[in-house]
């Protein structure tokens, strides 16, 4: 189970890190998507920080199981919020959000099972 957590956590941490980087650097595609969802521009640094913290927490969870579980729960909650935001804006292109949410759920289950 631990090897499964390592793989899932690494993939998820990579995706979150890339997303955080693109958000911090105000990538036009990210900014356009956030604008379409009516997310205020002032929220971008906070959202990017949350994604980066999730990535770091998942990787720290390799050594500290409780931290990995807490990070996975945080990522799940973040992306549930993202899903709600997409649906409220009537934007149904939610496949990436669902995939990341499912990866975070898998990370939580695997981290809990291997602790």
């Amino acid at each position: 189970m631990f090897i499964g957590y390592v793989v899932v956590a690494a993939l998820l941490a990579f995706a979150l890190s890339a997303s955080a980087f693109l958000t911090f650097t105000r990538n036009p595609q990210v900014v356009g998507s956030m604008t379409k969802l009516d997310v205020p521009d002032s929220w971008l640094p906070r959202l990017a920080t949350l994604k980066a913290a999730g990535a770091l927490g998942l990787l720290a969870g390799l050594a500290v199981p409780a931290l990995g579980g807490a990070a996975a729960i945080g990522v799940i909650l973040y992306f549930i919020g993202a899903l709600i935001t997409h649906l409220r804006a009537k934007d149904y292109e939610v496949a990436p959000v669902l995939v990341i949410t499912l990866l975070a759920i898998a990370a939580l289950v695997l981290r809990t099972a291997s602790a």
Side-chain angles (χ1 to χ4, degrees):
M1 290 294 200
F2 181 73
I3 293 172
Y5 175 75
V6 171
V7 171
V8 171
L11 287 172
L12 188 53
F14 176 76
L16 291 170
S17 298
S19 180
F21 174 78
L22 292 173
T23 305
F24 273 129
T25 59
R26 299 195 186 271
N27 176 280
Q29 187 175 1
V30 171
V31 172
S33 176
M34 295 293 192
T35 301
K36 183 170 98 173
L37 298 173
D38 293 326
V39 174
D41 193 54
S42 63
W43 287 19
L44 294 181
R46 291 181 193 106
L47 295 174
T49 301
L50 289 172
K51 288 185 245 184
L56 290 173
L58 288 166
L59 294 177
L62 297 172
V64 183
L67 188 55
I73 290 169
V75 172
I76 292 165
L77 293 174
Y78 178 97
F79 281 96
I80 288 173
L83 179 62
I84 291 168
T85 301
H86 277 270
L87 296 176
R88 290 177 109 184
K90 298 192 183 350
D91 176 26
Y92 302 109
E93 297 176 22
V94 294
V97 173
L98 291 175
V99 168
I100 291 176
T101 304
L102 291 173
L103 279 174
I105 291 169
L108 177 60
V109 169
L110 290 168
R111 182 70 270 192
T112 302
S114 64

